[in-house]
Amino acid sequence: MIDDRLIFTSHVDYVCKRAAVATAALTRMSSSSAFRTAAGRQALRRLCNLQRLSSVQRLMNLRVISEYRTISTEAANVVAGVMPISVLLEEDVYCYDNKDAPNVRDLAYEDSMSNWL
């Protein structure tokens, strides 16, 4: 999309709208309580499920960091500054189980960071 002044405003608007829609969809999926249920927890215990989730996270990280596909998943997480999805999901389950505890999210985050690094 090229405009007459070559400032690409219409293209930026289009891309931003598409990104907002995609972000909203990802937010809805990630904030669902699917992994907090007993069935969701069982799904997280299966290595094949964690590998599939990790694969999707890796692809997103590669887009963020603009790296080659040969970079390892762990390195892509570090460069993107994102904890592995398995660690994030464990943190979410812990927070849900201890939702009445004060500062549970902060404590869980610190624990996740120490486990990740």
Side-chain angles (χ1 to χ4, degrees), residues 15-33:
V15 170
C16 288
K17 286 178 187 174
R18 288 196 57 196
V21 169
T23 301
L26 287 170
T27 301
R28 280 193 305 276
M29 288 187 311
S30 67
S31 65
S32 72
S33 60

Side-chain angles (χ1 to χ4, degrees), residues 61-105:
N61 287 343
L62 289 176
R63 299 294 181 267
V64 168
I65 63 175
S66 300
E67 267 300 332
Y68 295 107
R69 293 181 62 99
T70 55
I71 191 172
S72 70
T73 301
E74 293 80 14
N77 286 338
V78 171
V79 174
V82 177
M83 275 192 252
I85 190 76
S86 59
V87 175
L88 292 172
L89 292 172
E90 288 174 16
E91 178 182 316
D92 193 39
V93 168
Y94 177 81
C95 290
Y96 183 77
D97 288 345
N98 299 290
K99 60 183 168 242
D100 296 329
N103 300 324
V104 68
R105 181 58 72 179

